[in-house]
Amino acid sequence: MEAIRPVPRTLLRDRAYEAIRDAIVAGEIEPGAVVRDAELAERLGLSRAPVREAFSRLVDEGLLESKPQSYTRVTPLVASDVRDAAAVVGAMHELVTRVAVPRLGAADIEAMRTANQRFAAAVGTGDVGGALRADDALHEVLVRVSGNRAAAATVARYTPLIRRLERQRFGEGGSCRSAGLHERLIEACAAGDVAEAVRVTAEIWRGLEELAD
């Protein structure tokens, strides 16, 4: 039994955070809905402590709002907040693209191509969740290769605000971003063309700013 050790508290907190964040982004917990630590702790099979810690983090990141001794609820979708988040996330992606492109190897380019194939297939079948996961995987290659942890943390913090609006817009019949833009980005990366890769990255994230309008 020596291999069985207590699960670190930080892992429980992260598990609660990720589950609640993903439910909010997917719209399973709708804007304005009141969330209760006891209820979610039971659903997640956790104690209330890691759920409360997750609530605190989600409040800080703008997905929840809390009034002490009163309520904790999902924040409404505010276009200006999403637009601001898209501008910040876009700037971080431009930064990591500029740094990462000269460092990319063949395996990295292949990973981007594979992610874009999944993206195109998901868009074709109307699988919004699959499309957004594939999109994350594609851009994550550049974030990872850049090695910029500050940029990675900023992207991780603000991307969920953008994804929530994307899911809503696409659920209302809006069009998902084109795999063609990704293809242009991949080709620029494969050619080592930093300037073009940054231009395409800016175009991608500018489109998300416009989505908020």
Side-chain angles (χ1 to χ4, degrees):
M1 300 294 287
E2 291 182 2
I4 299 177
R5 296 181 175 84
V7 177
R9 180 180 179 82
T10 53
L11 295 184
L12 296 178
R13 178 193 63 204
D14 291 344
R15 176 185 165 195
Y17 163 78
E18 291 169 3
I20 299 167
R21 178 202 62 196
D22 291 349
I24 293 171
V25 170
E28 295 170 11
I29 308 176
E30 298 180 350
V34 173
V35 292
R36 297 177 176 84
D37 55 6
E39 178 183 335
L40 286 175
E42 182 177 357
R43 289 173 60 184
L44 292 170
L46 300 172
S47 69
R48 294 170 69 175
V51 173
R52 287 173 179 165
E53 292 178 40
F55 279 7
S56 178
R57 183 173 172 184
L58 289 162
V59 167
D60 186 49
E61 295 181 358
L63 290 174
L64 292 179
E65 57 187 4
S66 182
K67 182 177 181 181
Q69 309 303 319
S70 182
Y71 62 77
T72 299
R73 66 188 180 195
V74 179
T75 55
L77 277 167
V78 179
S80 60
D81 290 345
V82 177
R83 192 164 49 247
D84 290 347
V88 170
V89 172
M92 293 299 98
H93 277 291
E94 289 180 48
L95 171 63
V96 300
T97 297
R98 186 173 289 107
V99 174
V101 169
R103 303 177 180 177
L104 291 169
D108 300 315
I109 298 297
E110 183 58 31
M112 294 175 73
R113 292 194 192 281
T114 299
N116 197 35
Q117 290 168 0
R118 296 202 310 271
F119 176 85
V123 170
T125 60
D127 179 5
V128 176
L132 295 181
R133 286 191 295 273
D135 184 74
D136 283 338
L138 189 154
H139 292 286
E140 172 58 27
V141 173
L142 295 166
V143 174
R144 172 179 55 77
V145 172
S146 77
N148 190 321
R149 292 193 295 176
T154 302
V155 167
R157 173 170 180 163
Y158 291 107
T159 296
L161 289 171
I162 305 166
R163 294 308 195 208
R164 189 158 63 128
L165 179 64
E166 285 185 284
R167 281 181 176 271
Q168 182 190 74
R169 290 287 190 266
F170 301 150
E172 294 168 350
S175 59
C176 204
R177 279 171 285 149
S178 169
L181 271 178
H182 287 158
E183 189 60 36
R184 284 174 51 199
L185 173 61
I186 294 167
E187 291 307 317
C189 289
D193 189 340
V194 175
E196 177 63 10
V198 171
R199 276 194 295 271
V200 177
T201 298
E203 185 176 347
I204 289 170
W205 292 95
R206 187 164 56 248
L208 289 177
E209 290 183 61
E210 294 169 357
L211 182 69
D213 295 328

